[in-house]
Amino acid sequence: MADQSVPPLIRPTMYAVRTYRAIAVLWVRSSLTYPVSFWLLTLGGLLTNGLDFVGIWFMFHRIDVLGGFGLREVGLLYSATSVAIGVGDLLIGSVEQLGQKIRSGQLDAMMTKPVPLLVQVCADQFQLRRLGRISQAVIVFAWAAPVVEWSPARVLVAVMMLVAGGAIFFALFVGFSAIQFWTTDASEFANAFTYGGDTLNQYPMTVFPKELVKSLTYVLPLAFVNWYPCLFLLGRSDPYGAPDWIRFASPVAAAALLLVMSLVWRAGVRHYRSTGS
Amino acid sequence: MSDPLIEVRDLGRDFTVRKRVGTFRRSSRVVHAVRDLSLQIGAGEMVGYIGPNGAGKSTTIKMLTGILVPSRGHLRVADLEPSRKRRELARRIGVVFGQRTSLWWDLPLRDSFELLQRIYEIPTDRYRHNLAAYVDLLDLGTLLDTPVRQLSLGQRMRGDIAAALLHDPGILYLDEPTIGLDVVSKGRLREFLRALNAERGTTLLLTTHDLQDIEALCDRVIVIDHGTAVFDGPLTRLRTTGGATRTLVVDLVDEVPPIAVDGAEVVKVEGPRQWLAFPADASAAALVAQVAAAYDVADLSIHEPDIEDVIWDLYSR
């Protein structure tokens, strides 16, 4: 129950985390009531994700470097963005199906509950099997890790990278899904930026034209998910000449994006409540 | 009703409906889903909120629960402005949608209840006490450990109602609670709602198409049409509103031409049986006396106006 000694901002956050966890646990238990289906889907997910990096690996049978980066270095970039989108994907549940929830009236029902709407939407249809993507990415990361000359600073930046990367994808999923408050159906549009961005991030930015890299820095800050922090881990400077401090700026980029996307979400909810679409 | 629990004054809600007129051109039109709606509901009332599809019922409920922001007018529920204090209000109301369940389909009923305990932060002793009470009243004992998907519609509805009440809401909104239920289930549900109102003083606002729900539960009816209240009052008065008539059915000993009496009109003759329509607010006793004095009567019966006809009459005005 409410502990009066807890400071004001902490209490709603704790309530949000607690209710998210409680809803997520029930979704996991729901999916476990169909064990065969659960394990088949988990296995299928592992296979799909497992084959994902194999493509890049085969490519390196023909070439030694890609955009100036070796196989393990690309593996580092690949696994960092994969962990990030995996975390984002795990946390957002079924937010990309927002339009469907609006049409079915499920969103209205959620609005009669005291839990913040975003928490309910994100916890809805929480699937533990999405950990499959993350675990595959963690394996690739462990395999690629020896390419880094580890130091305390690099460990810190690596942790920062994974947390900020997860937050960036989470923000993108939420923000682009919020567009469905206006359109009620544009789930594919969000995917273009999230899964599409993840695919771009699997390659060194040096293979892309400078203009694209710039827009992935300043417009849609996907380069902060893995590219800039990985440059630091690999002891490189940005080939496109960005200042060195940008390699530590991922948390700032993530925080800014979270802020912008939460405003988009709020505007979306307000629009919904005033149009009832 | 010194301090109404629900206070609505000149409430209005518009929707902009866009329609495609050419390949690219779209025209928009403003629809007044709710307009100039005023009503007050006191604590402990049981109110039936009825109207045809598209009359503005669900728009009203959505504004009362804070889902929709009103276009204009004054709205207070439990001293809160719903659209601004939606989540705070949510802790004080219960909502049941008859057409879909809020329960966890694949899990035992108990799990849904336990989640609600966390969501509403119900103290454990309070939760146990309420759960025990509703399990008893709604006969849920054997169902608690059954997955919801295996419950019958009536059992599930009882589960949904218990779920909406675990946090002791002062107001319960029920949207078509008896839809699809068999007669026995309907009866039990109504009995429970009556007891809930009597024992806990829970205010009930019920939207329904089943007028028997209204007759069984509601002292007061609000009829809404084209976004505004066309009737608000006790059920008994609804019957007499709008020139509704009662019918005196007379079985005469002989077949005779239509009876001629003051204040009534023969509407149908079938052999020795005649149907006399008279205003619903007129006394039946005087009429019966008149008929009995002039004719040889074998039997008599009085039919109350059909509530459905009365409402139909209100709508078609």
Side-chain angles (χ1 to χ4, degrees):
Chain A
M1 272 322 292
D3 182 356
Q4 296 304 319
S5 63
V6 177
L9 246 168
I10 306 291
R11 215 180 90 70
T13 311
M14 276 168 51
Y15 174 71
V17 171
R18 218 167 43 227
T19 46
Y20 182 98
R21 197 178 52 204
I23 297 169
V25 164
L26 284 200
W27 276 110
V28 172
R29 290 191 36 209
S30 285
S31 58
L32 284 172
T33 56
Y34 303 98
V36 177
S37 158
F38 174 81
W39 288 113
L40 279 179
L41 284 167
T42 306
L43 188 69
L46 277 173
L47 281 176
T48 315
N49 291 319
L51 286 173
D52 203 27
F53 186 64
V54 172
I56 294 175
W57 195 52
F58 275 132
M59 194 163 62
F60 272 86
H61 279 271
R62 299 266 170 196
I63 54 174
D64 292 326
V65 285
L66 179 65
F69 287 74
L71 176 57
R72 276 185 203 253
E73 291 176 311
V74 172
L76 191 71
L77 286 167
Y78 168 90
S79 56
T81 190
S82 297
V83 169
I85 197 170
V87 169
D89 185 48
L90 181 75
L91 290 179
I92 53 107
S94 63
V95 78
E96 72 265 36
Q97 291 162 27
L98 188 66
Q100 196 253 323
K101 289 191 213 314
I102 290 173
R103 285 188 304 259
S104 70
Q106 196 190 347
L107 200 77
D108 286 345
M110 286 178 171
M111 288 174 90
T112 65
K113 297 274 187 296
V115 182
L117 195 58
L118 184 59
V119 171
Q120 291 188 70
V121 173
C122 286
D124 191 52
Q125 288 173 40
F126 180 90
Q127 297 296 343
L128 209 52
R129 63 183 149 81
R130 292 179 183 186
L131 278 173
R133 181 197 284 271
I134 300 174
S135 45
Q136 179 260 0
V138 167
I139 291 167
V140 177
F141 190 86
W143 170 80
V147 81
V148 178
E149 286 173 33
W150 291 103
S151 67
R154 286 192 170 142
V155 171
L156 187 69
V157 169
V159 172
M160 244 164 51
M161 166 176 79
L162 298 180
V163 173
I168 287 172
F169 274 115
F170 174 81
L172 290 177
F173 275 121
V174 170
F176 282 104
S177 298
I179 292 171
Q180 295 175 50
F181 279 119
W182 287 274
T183 63
T184 39
D185 190 25
S187 48
E188 290 306 313
F189 184 69
N191 290 347
F193 293 94
T194 50
Y195 295 103
D198 173 55
T199 307
L200 287 182
N201 271 356
Q202 292 174 0
Y203 299 94
M205 290 287 149
T206 42
V207 306
F208 300 126
K210 192 174 183 177
E211 292 71 26
L212 180 63
V213 179
K214 277 206 160 157
S215 48
L216 290 180
T217 304
Y218 300 108
V219 184
L220 204 65
L222 282 163
F224 289 97
V225 169
N226 60 346
W227 174 244
Y228 291 120
C230 277
L231 286 177
F232 177 75
L233 297 186
L234 297 169
R236 294 171 179 244
S237 284
D238 182 34
Y240 285 121
D244 277 351
W245 57 259
I246 206 168
R247 301 179 301 177
F248 310 106
S250 294
V252 179
L257 191 66
L258 278 173
L259 182 71
V260 170
M261 292 311 190
S262 73
L263 291 177
V264 173
W265 174 265
R266 290 178 70 132
V269 174
R270 201 174 311 126
H271 173 80
Y272 176 74
R273 281 154 37 83
S274 61
T275 58
S277 49
Chain B
M1 275 201 354
S2 55
D3 193 17
L5 194 58
I6 299 175
E7 196 177 6
V8 177
R9 212 181 317 123
D10 304 322
L11 190 69
R13 175 62 223 220
D14 304 335
F15 289 111
T16 309
V17 180
R18 292 200 172 77
K19 213 172 68 182
R20 189 177 284 219
V21 285
T23 317
F24 297 108
R25 282 196 327 127
R26 297 203 296 178
S27 75
S28 62
R29 184 168 63 90
V30 174
V31 175
H32 305 287
V34 169
R35 58 197 164 95
D36 306 325
L37 183 69
S38 297
L39 53 96
Q40 293 194 341
I41 296 174
E45 282 198 78
M46 293 207 271
V47 179
Y49 194 54
I50 57 181
N53 291 331
K57 277 183 311 208
S58 57
T59 305
T60 311
I61 301 292
K62 282 183 185 179
M63 285 192 280
L64 290 176
T65 50
I67 296 172
L68 277 180
V69 183
S71 303
R72 71 195 75 81
H74 170 88
L75 175 59
R76 289 254 148 183
V77 178
D79 279 328
L80 297 170
E81 192 181 331
S83 65
R84 285 173 174 276
K85 300 279 180 189
R86 176 173 57 83
R87 295 205 280 123
E88 199 181 325
L89 181 66
R91 290 176 184 270
R92 304 169 64 170
I93 60 172
V95 185
V96 177
F97 296 106
Q99 316 223 36
R100 19 183 291 252
T101 181
S102 64
L103 304 171
W104 288 71
W105 194 247
D106 290 318
L107 297 177
L109 194 51
R110 188 189 296 278
D111 287 317
S112 297
F113 292 165
E114 280 171 5
L115 179 66
L116 290 167
Q117 186 199 349
R118 283 160 188 250
I119 284 179
Y120 289 102
E121 302 178 286
I122 309 166
T124 306
D125 48 347
R126 185 82 214 143
Y127 170 75
R128 290 211 183 113
H129 176 265
N130 278 351
L131 184 63
Y134 295 132
V135 160
D136 183 40
L137 283 169
L138 288 164
D139 201 7
L140 295 171
T142 54
L143 307 178
L144 272 181
D145 296 303
T146 311
V148 171
R149 63 167 188 272
Q150 290 172 14
L151 302 182
S152 73
L153 192 63
Q155 293 170 332
R156 208 169 73 211
M157 178 50 67
R158 270 144 52 203
D160 258 307
I161 288 183
L165 291 170
L166 285 170
H167 60 292
D168 292 317
I171 308 171
L172 182 63
Y173 298 103
L174 296 149
D175 183 30
E176 301 284 352
T178 59
I179 200 162
L181 300 190
D182 62 55
V183 182
V184 179
S185 305
K186 278 184 187 180
R188 289 172 64 177
L189 201 60
R190 289 171 188 150
E191 203 177 302
F192 168 77
L193 292 173
R194 257 199 310 270
L196 178 79
N197 173 265
E199 283 159 30
R200 300 200 176 212
T202 310
T203 305
L204 296 183
L205 186 64
L206 184 81
T207 70
T208 184
H209 281 102
D210 187 336
L211 295 167
Q212 285 177 346
D213 286 347
I214 306 276
E215 300 202 271
L217 291 172
C218 304
D219 327 309
R220 180 177 163 199
V221 188
I222 298 170
V223 182
I224 183 172
D225 193 25
H226 294 107
T228 198
V230 292
F231 177 86
D232 181 352
L235 192 61
T236 44
R237 189 151 63 76
L238 180 59
R239 282 223 172 77
T240 59
T241 304
T245 52
R246 291 198 281 175
T247 311
L248 177 69
V249 183
V250 187
D251 284 331
L252 298 165
V253 176
D254 309 305
E255 284 189 37
V256 294
I259 296 170
V261 282
D262 287 339
E265 195 186 343
V266 175
V267 289
K268 192 175 165 191
V269 179
E270 222 178 76
R273 176 174 286 190
Q274 300 198 7
W275 281 260
L276 283 81
F278 64 101
D281 49 353
S283 158
L287 184 66
V288 170
Q290 267 196 73
V291 174
Y295 299 91
D296 286 336
V297 177
D299 198 7
L300 282 168
S301 66
I302 295 167
H303 291 196
E304 291 298 322
D306 193 357
I307 195 83
E308 220 153 325
D309 292 340
V310 175
I311 290 164
W312 181 246
D313 203 43
L314 279 172
Y315 294 160
S316 54
R317 268 195 225 164

